[in-house]
Amino acid sequence: MRTGSEPATARSALRARLWLSVWGLAWAIFGTAAFALVGRPGWAAACGVLWLVATVDMAVILRHIRQGPHYQPGRDVPPYRPADTRPPRFRPPPQHRHP
């Protein structure tokens, strides 16, 4: 059921993102070193840029994890506000007008 508040109540798997960032960082470091040793400066620079992106991503993820429940709510925090228990308002059926 959609409530319209999904952007405010969305959750992110920050720990999974952290491990994927660590994996990408390891490969970027390896790629930078390997391409630099082989003599491919263009590919080494590309891997270096990827290294920088992965490092910044990891810093953002760690910041969000350290901010606590605001970004990573626990299991006791419901993902949505409780549904409204009031009955829906009565709407009269649409009037069909034929010429």
Side-chain angles (χ1 to χ4, degrees):
M1 177 175 87
R2 293 185 56 102
T3 62
S5 65
E6 281 79 11
T9 58
R11 296 183 184 199
S12 175
L14 291 175
R15 302 231 186 266
R17 281 182 56 197
L18 176 67
W19 287 111
L20 287 172
S21 181
V22 167
W23 181 252
L25 184 67
W27 276 105
I29 292 170
F30 172 76
T32 303
F35 284 122
L37 290 174
V38 176
R40 300 282 190 171
W43 284 104
C47 287
V49 169
L50 188 60
W51 182 353
L52 178 66
V53 169
T55 303
V56 169
D57 184 43
M58 188 182 307
V60 169
I61 292 168
L62 287 172
R63 179 175 175 265
H64 285 182
I65 288 174
R66 287 186 183 133
Q67 284 181 341
H70 178 70
Y71 281 97
Q72 188 70 20
R75 293 179 186 219
D76 56 336
V77 178
Y80 298 107
R81 289 186 301 235
D84 193 9
T85 57
R86 296 178 298 176
R89 293 186 309 178
F90 174 73
R91 281 188 167 163
Q95 299 290 327
H96 296 286
R97 298 182 184 185
H98 296 285

